[in-house]
Amino acid sequence: MNVSEVAQKCGHVWLHLWQELLPFRFLIVGGWNFVFSYVFFAFTYWLLHRHIHDAIIIVICSIVGITHAFLCHRFLTYRSSGSILKEYLRFYVVYSVQVGANFVLFLLFVRICRTNPYLTQALLTIGLKFISYWGHETFSFKKEGCS
């Protein structure tokens, strides 16, 4: 087997994983969402933290990050054709727990424990994503008529 044949087989494996396995798509899209959201947070925090309160920065970054994640998961992960408004609102319900925990924990660690805000947000973003998969699978993008 030559290099091009191996590459072609690997490509087929990746394509199969992408097309057939929802958890694989969720992981890949979630990884991209993490990178996007974290870079947006780091830039926004760097730009604004001397001018506005950390809480406002977290709210701004949460709205942008959640909307970006919704669009990516809707079209790439779940390939949904349901009501965009209904799914967007459900997506926000799932993320409300994550955002609330992030809000409290970020302020606790950064303001009281004096941890590095960039490291704190990175760890919180990764840690809190575990609630997302279950919530989106069972609520945000649940097919109508499914119990």
Side-chain angles (χ1 to χ4, degrees), residues 40-124:
F40 184 79
F41 161 79
F43 176 74
T44 305
Y45 187 84
W46 172 80
L47 186 66
L48 299 176
H49 79 278
R50 289 186 179 91
H51 307 290
I52 62 175
H53 194 272
D54 291 355
I56 296 171
I57 294 171
I58 292 296
V59 169
I60 292 167
C61 292
S62 294
I63 292 168
V64 171
I66 292 169
T67 301
H68 176 266
F70 169 74
L71 294 171
C72 290
H73 281 304
R74 175 176 165 68
F75 293 110
L76 299 173
T77 305
Y78 294 97
R79 302 172 182 160
S80 178
S81 60
S83 166
I84 194 164
L85 180 59
K86 189 179 204 178
E87 289 177 347
Y88 187 63
L89 294 174
R90 286 180 174 184
F91 201 84
Y92 257 91
V93 169
V94 170
Y95 266 95
S96 65
V97 173
Q98 183 175 331
V99 169
N102 186 85
F103 187 81
V104 170
L105 293 171
F106 181 85
L107 294 176
L108 172 75
F109 283 109
V110 173
R111 294 293 182 174
I112 296 172
C113 300
R114 301 285 186 211
T115 60
N116 179 291
Y118 300 100
L119 177 61
T120 300
Q121 186 61 24
L123 294 174
L124 287 173

Side-chain angles (χ1 to χ4, degrees), residues 2-64:
N2 64 35
V3 174
S4 67
E5 290 172 330
V6 170
Q8 186 176 15
K9 284 190 183 262
C10 289
H12 288 302
V13 168
W14 283 104
L15 183 62
H16 173 74
L17 288 173
W18 180 259
Q19 291 175 336
E20 302 300 325
L21 297 176
L22 178 67
F24 181 76
R25 289 194 309 268
F26 189 87
L27 182 64
I28 298 300
V29 171
W32 162 248
N33 289 335
F34 167 75
V35 170
F36 174 87
S37 294
Y38 184 73
V39 168
F40 184 79
F41 161 79
F43 176 74
T44 305
Y45 187 84
W46 172 80
L47 186 66
L48 299 176
H49 79 278
R50 289 186 179 91
H51 307 290
I52 62 175
H53 194 272
D54 291 355
I56 296 171
I57 294 171
I58 292 296
V59 169
I60 292 167
C61 292
S62 294
I63 292 168
V64 171

